[in-house]
Coordinates of all heavy atoms in Angstrom, one line a residue:
M245 N -71.2 52.0 -113.4 CA -70.9 51.7 -112.0 C -72.1 52.2 -111.2 O -72.0 52.2 -110.0 CB -69.6 52.2 -111.6 CG -68.4 51.8 -112.5 SD -67.6 50.2 -112.2 CE -68.6 48.9 -112.6
S246 N -73.1 52.7 -111.8 CA -74.4 53.0 -111.1 C -74.3 54.1 -110.1 O -74.5 53.8 -108.9 CB -75.0 51.7 -110.6 OG -75.2 50.8 -111.6
T247 N -74.0 55.3 -110.5 CA -74.0 56.4 -109.6 C -75.0 57.5 -110.3 O -75.5 57.3 -111.4 CB -72.7 57.1 -109.4 OG1 -72.2 57.7 -110.6 CG2 -71.6 56.1 -108.9
D248 N -75.2 58.6 -109.6 CA -75.9 59.7 -110.2 C -75.1 60.5 -111.2 O -75.6 61.3 -112.0 CB -76.4 60.6 -109.1 CG -77.5 60.0 -108.3 OD1 -78.2 59.1 -108.8 OD2 -77.7 60.5 -107.1
D249 N -73.8 60.2 -111.3 CA -72.9 60.9 -112.2 C -73.1 60.3 -113.6 O -73.7 59.2 -113.7 CB -71.4 60.7 -111.8 CG -71.1 61.4 -110.5 OD1 -71.8 62.4 -110.1 OD2 -70.2 61.0 -109.8
E250 N -72.6 61.0 -114.6 CA -72.6 60.5 -115.9 C -71.4 59.5 -116.1 O -70.3 59.9 -115.9 CB -72.6 61.6 -116.9 CG -73.8 62.5 -116.8 CD -73.6 63.8 -117.7 OE1 -72.7 63.9 -118.5 OE2 -74.5 64.7 -117.5
E251 N -71.7 58.3 -116.5 CA -70.7 57.3 -116.7 C -70.8 56.6 -118.1 O -71.9 56.2 -118.4 CB -70.7 56.2 -115.6 CG -70.5 56.8 -114.3 CD -70.8 55.9 -113.1 OE1 -71.6 54.9 -113.3 OE2 -70.2 56.1 -112.1
Y252 N -69.7 56.6 -118.9 CA -69.8 56.1 -120.2 C -68.5 55.6 -120.7 O -67.5 55.7 -120.1 CB -70.4 57.2 -121.1 CG -70.0 58.6 -120.8 CD1 -68.9 59.1 -121.4 CD2 -70.7 59.4 -119.9 CE1 -68.4 60.4 -121.2 CE2 -70.2 60.6 -119.6 CZ -69.1 61.1 -120.3 OH -68.7 62.4 -120.0
F253 N -68.5 55.1 -122.0 CA -67.3 54.6 -122.7 C -66.6 53.5 -121.9 O -65.4 53.6 -121.7 CB -66.3 55.7 -123.0 CG -67.0 56.8 -123.8 CD1 -67.1 58.1 -123.2 CD2 -67.4 56.6 -125.1 CE1 -67.7 59.1 -123.9 CE2 -68.0 57.6 -125.8 CZ -68.1 58.9 -125.2
P254 N -67.2 52.4 -121.5 CA -66.5 51.3 -120.8 C -65.6 50.6 -121.7 O -65.9 50.4 -122.9 CB -67.6 50.4 -120.3 CG -68.7 50.6 -121.2 CD -68.6 52.1 -121.7
S255 N -64.5 50.1 -121.1 CA -63.5 49.3 -121.8 C -63.0 48.3 -120.8 O -62.6 48.7 -119.7 CB -62.3 50.2 -122.3 OG -61.4 49.5 -123.1
V256 N -62.9 47.0 -121.3 CA -62.6 46.0 -120.3 C -61.3 45.3 -120.7 O -61.0 45.0 -121.8 CB -63.7 44.9 -120.3 CG1 -63.5 43.8 -119.3 CG2 -65.1 45.6 -120.0
T257 N -60.5 45.0 -119.6 CA -59.2 44.3 -119.8 C -59.4 42.8 -119.7 O -60.4 42.3 -119.4 CB -58.2 44.8 -118.8 OG1 -58.6 44.3 -117.5 CG2 -58.0 46.3 -118.8
R258 N -58.3 42.1 -120.0 CA -58.3 40.6 -119.9 C -58.7 40.1 -118.5 O -59.4 39.1 -118.4 CB -57.0 40.0 -120.3 CG -56.7 40.1 -121.8 CD -55.5 39.3 -122.1 NE -55.1 39.6 -123.5 CZ -53.9 40.0 -123.9 NH1 -52.9 40.1 -123.0 NH2 -53.7 40.3 -125.1
D259 N -58.3 40.8 -117.5 CA -58.6 40.3 -116.1 C -60.0 40.8 -115.6 O -60.3 40.6 -114.5 CB -57.5 40.7 -115.2 CG -57.4 42.2 -114.8 OD1 -58.2 43.0 -115.4 OD2 -56.5 42.5 -114.0
G260 N -60.7 41.5 -116.5 CA -62.0 42.0 -116.1 C -62.1 43.4 -115.6 O -63.2 43.9 -115.3
T261 N -61.0 44.1 -115.4 CA -61.0 45.5 -114.9 C -61.7 46.3 -116.0 O -61.5 46.2 -117.2 CB -59.6 46.0 -114.7 OG1 -58.9 45.2 -113.7 CG2 -59.6 47.4 -114.3
V262 N -62.6 47.2 -115.5 CA -63.4 48.1 -116.4 C -62.8 49.5 -116.2 O -62.7 50.0 -115.1 CB -64.9 48.1 -116.0 CG1 -65.6 49.1 -116.9 CG2 -65.5 46.7 -116.2
Y263 N -62.5 50.1 -117.3 CA -62.1 51.5 -117.4 C -63.2 52.3 -118.0 O -63.9 51.8 -118.9 CB -60.8 51.7 -118.2 CG -59.6 51.2 -117.6 CD1 -59.3 49.9 -117.4 CD2 -58.6 52.2 -117.1 CE1 -58.1 49.5 -116.8 CE2 -57.4 51.7 -116.5 CZ -57.2 50.4 -116.4 OH -56.0 50.0 -115.8
F264 N -63.5 53.4 -117.4 CA -64.7 54.2 -118.0 C -64.5 55.7 -117.7 O -63.7 56.1 -116.9 CB -66.0 53.7 -117.4 CG -66.1 53.8 -115.9 CD1 -66.7 54.9 -115.3 CD2 -65.5 52.9 -115.0 CE1 -66.8 55.0 -113.9 CE2 -65.6 53.0 -113.6 CZ -66.3 54.1 -113.1
T265 N -65.3 56.5 -118.3 CA -65.3 57.9 -118.1 C -66.5 58.3 -117.2 O -67.5 57.7 -117.2 CB -65.6 58.7 -119.4 OG1 -64.5 58.3 -120.4 CG2 -65.6 60.2 -119.3
R266 N -66.2 59.2 -116.3 CA -67.2 59.7 -115.3 C -67.1 61.2 -115.3 O -66.1 61.8 -115.2 CB -67.0 59.2 -113.9 CG -68.0 59.7 -112.9 CD -67.7 59.2 -111.5 NE -68.1 57.8 -111.3 CZ -67.9 57.1 -110.3 NH1 -67.1 57.5 -109.3 NH2 -68.3 55.8 -110.2
S267 N -68.3 61.9 -115.3 CA -68.4 63.3 -115.1 C -69.5 63.5 -114.1 O -70.5 62.8 -114.1 CB -68.8 64.1 -116.3 OG -68.5 63.7 -117.5
K268 N -69.3 64.5 -113.3 CA -70.4 64.9 -112.4 C -71.6 65.3 -113.2 O -71.5 66.0 -114.2 CB -70.0 66.0 -111.4 CG -68.8 65.7 -110.5 CD -69.3 64.7 -109.5 CE -68.2 64.4 -108.5 NZ -68.5 63.2 -107.6
A269 N -72.8 65.0 -112.7 CA -74.0 65.4 -113.4 C -74.0 66.9 -113.7 O -73.8 67.6 -112.7 CB -75.2 64.9 -112.6
G270 N -74.1 67.3 -114.9 CA -74.1 68.7 -115.3 C -72.7 69.3 -115.3 O -72.6 70.5 -115.6
G271 N -71.7 68.5 -115.0 CA -70.3 69.1 -114.9 C -69.6 69.1 -116.2 O -70.1 68.6 -117.2
Q272 N -68.5 69.8 -116.3 CA -67.8 70.0 -117.5 C -66.6 69.0 -117.6 O -66.4 68.5 -118.7 CB -67.2 71.4 -117.5 CG -68.2 72.5 -117.6 CD -68.8 72.6 -119.0 OE1 -68.2 72.3 -119.9 NE2 -70.1 73.0 -119.0
N273 N -65.9 68.7 -116.5 CA -64.7 67.8 -116.6 C -65.0 66.4 -116.6 O -65.8 65.9 -115.7 CB -63.7 68.2 -115.5 CG -63.0 69.5 -115.8 OD1 -63.0 70.0 -116.9 ND2 -62.5 70.1 -114.7
S274 N -64.5 65.6 -117.5 CA -64.6 64.2 -117.5 C -63.3 63.6 -117.0 O -62.2 64.1 -117.3 CB -64.9 63.6 -118.9 OG -66.1 64.1 -119.4
R275 N -63.4 62.5 -116.2 CA -62.2 61.8 -115.7 C -62.3 60.3 -116.0 O -63.4 59.8 -116.1 CB -62.1 62.0 -114.2 CG -62.0 63.5 -113.7 CD -60.7 64.0 -114.0 NE -60.5 65.4 -113.6 CZ -60.2 66.4 -114.5 NH1 -60.0 66.1 -115.7 NH2 -60.0 67.6 -114.0
I276 N -61.1 59.7 -116.1 CA -61.1 58.3 -116.3 C -60.9 57.5 -115.0 O -60.1 57.9 -114.1 CB -59.9 57.9 -117.2 CG1 -60.0 58.7 -118.5 CG2 -59.9 56.4 -117.5 CD1 -61.2 58.5 -119.3
Y277 N -61.8 56.5 -114.8 CA -61.7 55.7 -113.6 C -61.5 54.2 -114.0 O -61.7 53.8 -115.2 CB -63.1 55.8 -112.9 CG -63.4 57.0 -112.2 CD1 -63.7 58.2 -112.8 CD2 -63.3 57.1 -110.8 CE1 -63.9 59.4 -112.2 CE2 -63.5 58.3 -110.1 CZ -63.8 59.4 -110.8 OH -64.1 60.6 -110.1
R278 N -61.2 53.4 -113.0 CA -61.2 52.0 -113.2 C -61.8 51.3 -112.0 O -61.7 51.8 -110.9 CB -59.8 51.4 -113.5 CG -58.9 51.4 -112.3 CD -57.6 50.8 -112.6 NE -56.6 51.1 -111.5 CZ -55.4 51.3 -111.7 NH1 -54.8 51.1 -112.9 NH2 -54.6 51.6 -110.7
A279 N -62.4 50.1 -112.3 CA -63.0 49.3 -111.2 C -62.4 47.9 -111.5 O -62.6 47.3 -112.5 CB -64.5 49.3 -111.3
R280 N -61.7 47.4 -110.5 CA -61.1 46.1 -110.6 C -62.1 45.0 -110.2 O -62.8 45.1 -109.3 CB -59.8 46.0 -109.8 CG -58.7 46.9 -110.2 CD -57.5 46.7 -109.4 NE -56.5 47.7 -109.7 CZ -55.6 47.6 -110.7 NH1 -55.6 46.6 -111.5 NH2 -54.7 48.6 -110.9
L281 N -62.0 43.9 -110.9 CA -62.8 42.7 -110.6 C -62.1 41.9 -109.6 O -60.9 41.4 -109.8 CB -63.0 41.9 -111.9 CG -64.0 40.7 -111.8 CD1 -65.4 41.1 -111.4 CD2 -64.0 39.9 -113.1
V282 N -62.7 41.8 -108.4 CA -62.0 41.1 -107.3 C -63.0 40.0 -106.8 O -64.1 40.3 -106.3 CB -61.7 42.1 -106.1 CG1 -61.0 41.3 -105.0 CG2 -60.8 43.2 -106.6
E283 N -62.5 38.7 -106.9 CA -63.3 37.6 -106.4 C -64.8 37.7 -107.0 O -65.7 37.4 -106.2 CB -63.3 37.5 -104.9 CG -61.9 37.2 -104.4 CD -61.9 37.2 -102.9 OE1 -62.9 37.2 -102.2 OE2 -60.7 37.1 -102.3
G284 N -64.9 38.0 -108.2 CA -66.2 38.0 -108.9 C -67.1 39.2 -108.7 O -68.2 39.2 -109.2
A285 N -66.6 40.2 -108.0 CA -67.3 41.5 -107.8 C -66.4 42.7 -108.1 O -65.2 42.6 -107.9 CB -67.9 41.5 -106.4
Y286 N -67.0 43.7 -108.5 CA -66.2 44.9 -108.8 C -66.0 45.7 -107.5 O -66.9 46.0 -106.7 CB -66.9 45.8 -109.8 CG -66.7 45.2 -111.2 CD1 -67.7 44.5 -111.8 CD2 -65.5 45.4 -111.9 CE1 -67.5 43.9 -113.1 CE2 -65.3 44.8 -113.1 CZ -66.3 44.1 -113.7 OH -66.1 43.5 -114.9
A287 N -64.7 46.1 -107.4 CA -64.3 47.0 -106.2 C -64.8 48.4 -106.5 O -65.1 48.7 -107.7 CB -62.8 47.0 -106.1
E288 N -64.7 49.2 -105.5 CA -65.1 50.6 -105.7 C -64.2 51.3 -106.8 O -63.0 51.1 -106.7 CB -64.9 51.4 -104.3 CG -65.4 52.8 -104.3 CD -66.9 52.9 -104.4 OE1 -67.6 51.9 -104.0 OE2 -67.4 53.9 -104.9
P289 N -64.8 52.0 -107.7 CA -64.0 52.6 -108.8 C -63.0 53.6 -108.2 O -63.3 54.3 -107.2 CB -65.0 53.4 -109.6 CG -66.3 52.6 -109.4 CD -66.2 52.2 -107.9
E290 N -61.8 53.7 -108.8 CA -60.8 54.6 -108.4 C -60.4 55.5 -109.6 O -60.3 55.0 -110.8 CB -59.5 53.9 -107.9 CG -58.9 52.9 -108.9 CD -57.8 52.1 -108.4 OE1 -57.1 52.6 -107.5 OE2 -57.6 51.0 -108.9
M291 N -60.2 56.8 -109.4 CA -59.8 57.7 -110.5 C -58.4 57.4 -110.8 O -57.6 57.2 -109.9 CB -60.0 59.1 -110.1 CG -59.8 60.1 -111.2 SD -60.2 61.9 -110.9 CE -60.3 62.1 -109.2
L292 N -58.0 57.4 -112.1 CA -56.6 57.3 -112.5 C -55.8 58.5 -112.0 O -56.4 59.6 -111.8 CB -56.5 57.0 -114.0 CG -57.2 55.8 -114.5 CD1 -56.9 55.6 -116.0 CD2 -56.8 54.5 -113.7
P293 N -54.5 58.4 -111.9 CA -53.7 59.5 -111.4 C -53.6 60.7 -112.3 O -54.1 60.6 -113.5 CB -52.3 58.8 -111.3 CG -52.3 57.7 -112.2 CD -53.7 57.2 -112.3
P294 N -53.0 61.8 -111.8 CA -53.0 63.0 -112.6 C -52.2 62.9 -113.9 O -52.5 63.7 -114.8 CB -52.2 64.0 -111.6 CG -52.5 63.5 -110.3 CD -52.6 62.0 -110.4
A295 N -51.4 62.0 -114.1 CA -50.7 61.8 -115.4 C -51.8 61.5 -116.5 O -51.6 61.9 -117.7 CB -49.7 60.6 -115.4
V296 N -52.9 61.0 -116.1 CA -54.0 60.7 -117.0 C -55.1 61.8 -116.9 O -55.5 62.4 -117.9 CB -54.7 59.3 -116.8 CG1 -55.9 59.2 -117.6 CG2 -53.7 58.2 -117.0
N297 N -55.4 62.1 -115.7 CA -56.5 63.1 -115.4 C -55.9 64.4 -114.9 O -55.9 64.7 -113.7 CB -57.4 62.5 -114.3 CG -58.3 61.4 -114.8 OD1 -58.9 61.5 -115.8 ND2 -58.2 60.3 -114.1
G298 N -55.3 65.2 -115.8 CA -54.6 66.4 -115.4 C -55.6 67.6 -115.3 O -56.8 67.4 -114.9
D299 N -55.2 68.7 -115.8 CA -56.0 69.9 -115.7 C -56.9 70.0 -117.0 O -57.3 71.1 -117.4 CB -55.1 71.2 -115.6 CG -54.5 71.3 -114.3 OD1 -55.0 70.7 -113.3 OD2 -53.4 71.9 -114.3
W300 N -57.2 68.9 -117.6 CA -57.9 68.9 -118.8 C -59.1 67.9 -118.6 O -59.2 67.2 -117.6 CB -57.1 68.4 -120.0 CG -56.3 67.2 -119.6 CD1 -56.7 65.9 -119.7 CD2 -54.9 67.2 -119.1 NE1 -55.7 65.1 -119.2 CE2 -54.6 65.8 -118.9 CE3 -54.0 68.1 -118.8 CZ2 -53.4 65.4 -118.4 CZ3 -52.8 67.7 -118.3 CH2 -52.5 66.4 -118.1
S301 N -60.0 67.8 -119.6 CA -61.1 66.9 -119.6 C -60.7 65.7 -120.5 O -60.2 66.0 -121.6 CB -62.3 67.5 -120.1 OG -63.4 66.7 -119.9
V302 N -60.8 64.5 -120.1 CA -60.4 63.3 -120.9 C -61.6 62.4 -120.9 O -62.3 62.2 -119.9 CB -59.1 62.7 -120.3 CG1 -59.3 62.2 -118.9 CG2 -58.7 61.5 -121.2
Y303 N -61.8 61.8 -122.1 CA -63.0 60.9 -122.2 C -62.7 59.9 -123.4 O -61.6 60.0 -124.0 CB -64.2 61.8 -122.5 CG -64.1 62.7 -123.7 CD1 -64.5 62.3 -124.9 CD2 -63.5 64.0 -123.5 CE1 -64.4 63.2 -126.0 CE2 -63.4 64.8 -124.6 CZ -63.8 64.4 -125.8 OH -63.7 65.3 -126.9
N304 N -63.7 59.1 -123.6 CA -63.6 58.1 -124.7 C -62.4 57.1 -124.5 O -61.8 56.7 -125.4 CB -63.5 58.7 -126.1 CG -64.7 59.3 -126.6 OD1 -65.6 59.7 -125.8 ND2 -64.8 59.5 -127.9
A305 N -62.1 56.8 -123.2 CA -61.0 55.9 -122.9 C -61.1 54.5 -123.5 O -62.2 54.0 -123.5 CB -60.8 55.8 -121.4
C306 N -60.1 54.0 -124.0 CA -60.0 52.7 -124.5 C -58.7 52.1 -124.0 O -57.6 52.6 -124.4 CB -60.1 52.6 -126.0 SG -60.2 51.0 -126.7
I307 N -58.8 51.0 -123.2 CA -57.6 50.4 -122.6 C -57.2 49.2 -123.4 O -58.1 48.4 -123.9 CB -57.8 50.1 -121.1 CG1 -56.6 49.7 -120.4 CG2 -58.9 49.0 -121.0 CD1 -55.7 50.8 -120.1
A308 N -55.9 48.9 -123.6 CA -55.4 47.7 -124.2 C -55.8 46.5 -123.3 O -55.8 46.7 -122.1 CB -53.9 47.8 -124.4
P309 N -56.1 45.4 -123.9 CA -56.5 44.2 -123.0 C -55.5 43.9 -121.9 O -55.8 43.4 -120.9 CB -56.6 43.1 -124.1 CG -56.9 43.8 -125.3 CD -56.2 45.1 -125.3
D310 N -54.2 44.1 -122.2 CA -53.1 43.8 -121.2 C -52.8 45.1 -120.4 O -51.8 45.0 -119.6 CB -51.9 43.3 -121.9 CG -51.2 44.2 -122.8 OD1 -51.7 45.4 -123.0 OD2 -50.2 43.9 -123.4
E311 N -53.5 46.2 -120.5 CA -53.3 47.4 -119.8 C -52.0 48.1 -120.1 O -51.5 48.9 -119.3 CB -53.5 47.3 -118.3 CG -54.9 46.9 -117.9 CD -55.1 46.7 -116.4 OE1 -55.4 47.7 -115.8 OE2 -54.9 45.6 -115.9
S312 N -51.4 47.8 -121.2 CA -50.1 48.4 -121.6 C -50.2 49.8 -122.1 O -49.2 50.6 -122.1 CB -49.4 47.5 -122.7 OG -50.2 47.4 -123.8
F313 N -51.4 50.2 -122.6 CA -51.6 51.6 -122.9 C -53.1 51.9 -122.9 O -54.0 51.0 -122.9 CB -51.0 51.9 -124.3 CG -51.7 51.2 -125.5 CD1 -52.8 51.7 -126.2 CD2 -51.3 49.9 -125.9 CE1 -53.4 51.1 -127.2 CE2 -51.9 49.2 -126.9 CZ -53.0 49.8 -127.6
L314 N -53.4 53.2 -122.8 CA -54.7 53.7 -122.8 C -54.8 54.9 -123.7 O -53.9 55.7 -123.8 CB -55.1 54.2 -121.4 CG -56.5 54.8 -121.2 CD1 -57.1 54.3 -119.9 CD2 -56.4 56.3 -121.1
V315 N -55.8 54.9 -124.5 CA -56.0 56.0 -125.5 C -57.3 56.7 -125.1 O -58.3 56.1 -124.8 CB -56.2 55.4 -126.9 CG1 -56.5 56.5 -127.9 CG2 -55.0 54.7 -127.4
G316 N -57.3 58.0 -125.1 CA -58.4 58.8 -124.8 C -58.4 60.1 -125.6 O -57.4 60.5 -126.2
C317 N -59.5 60.9 -125.5 CA -59.6 62.2 -126.2 C -59.4 63.2 -125.0 O -60.0 63.1 -124.0 CB -60.9 62.4 -126.8 SG -61.2 61.2 -128.2
V318 N -58.7 64.3 -125.3 CA -58.5 65.3 -124.3 C -59.0 66.7 -124.9 O -58.8 67.0 -126.1 CB -57.0 65.5 -124.0 CG1 -56.7 66.6 -123.1 CG2 -56.4 64.2 -123.5
T319 N -59.7 67.4 -124.0 CA -60.1 68.7 -124.4 C -59.7 69.7 -123.4 O -59.4 69.4 -122.3 CB -61.7 68.8 -124.5 OG1 -62.3 68.5 -123.3 CG2 -62.1 67.9 -125.6

């Protein structure tokens, strides 16, 4: 999504929404974000809620094509 932060592990749904991991440059905590495809362009990424991004670091997200589940690694 082209920021100065570290962004990796993209996973794309059937409707084109991209889920990915973002960490602040040099930071410890990774968070899962999504950017929805709206009229051919990606909207501003939004961090997923605390149920996903709690007091832990989560990364390597992989979303089901229908968004029915998300799998990630937690540290």
Side-chain angles (χ1 to χ4, degrees):
M245 306 273 74
S246 301
T247 68
D248 290 336
D249 296 333
E250 298 173 8
E251 297 171 334
Y252 37 91
F253 306 112
S255 184
V256 182
T257 65
R258 285 188 192 127
D259 70 359
T261 300
V262 176
Y263 285 74
F264 63 96
T265 301
R266 178 184 280 172
S267 332
K268 295 290 182 191
Q272 296 286 329
N273 287 340
S274 297
R275 300 287 181 239
I276 305 300
Y277 286 75
R278 73 175 163 213
R280 296 187 187 274
L281 187 60
V282 180
E283 297 179 6
Y286 283 100
E288 187 68 27
E290 58 184 330
M291 186 172 19
L292 297 186
V296 175
N297 292 305
D299 292 334
W300 49 83
S301 188
V302 60
Y303 55 95
N304 289 20
C306 183
I307 189 77
D310 64 359
E311 297 182 89
S312 61
F313 66 92
L314 179 133
V315 176
C317 297
V318 175
T319 59

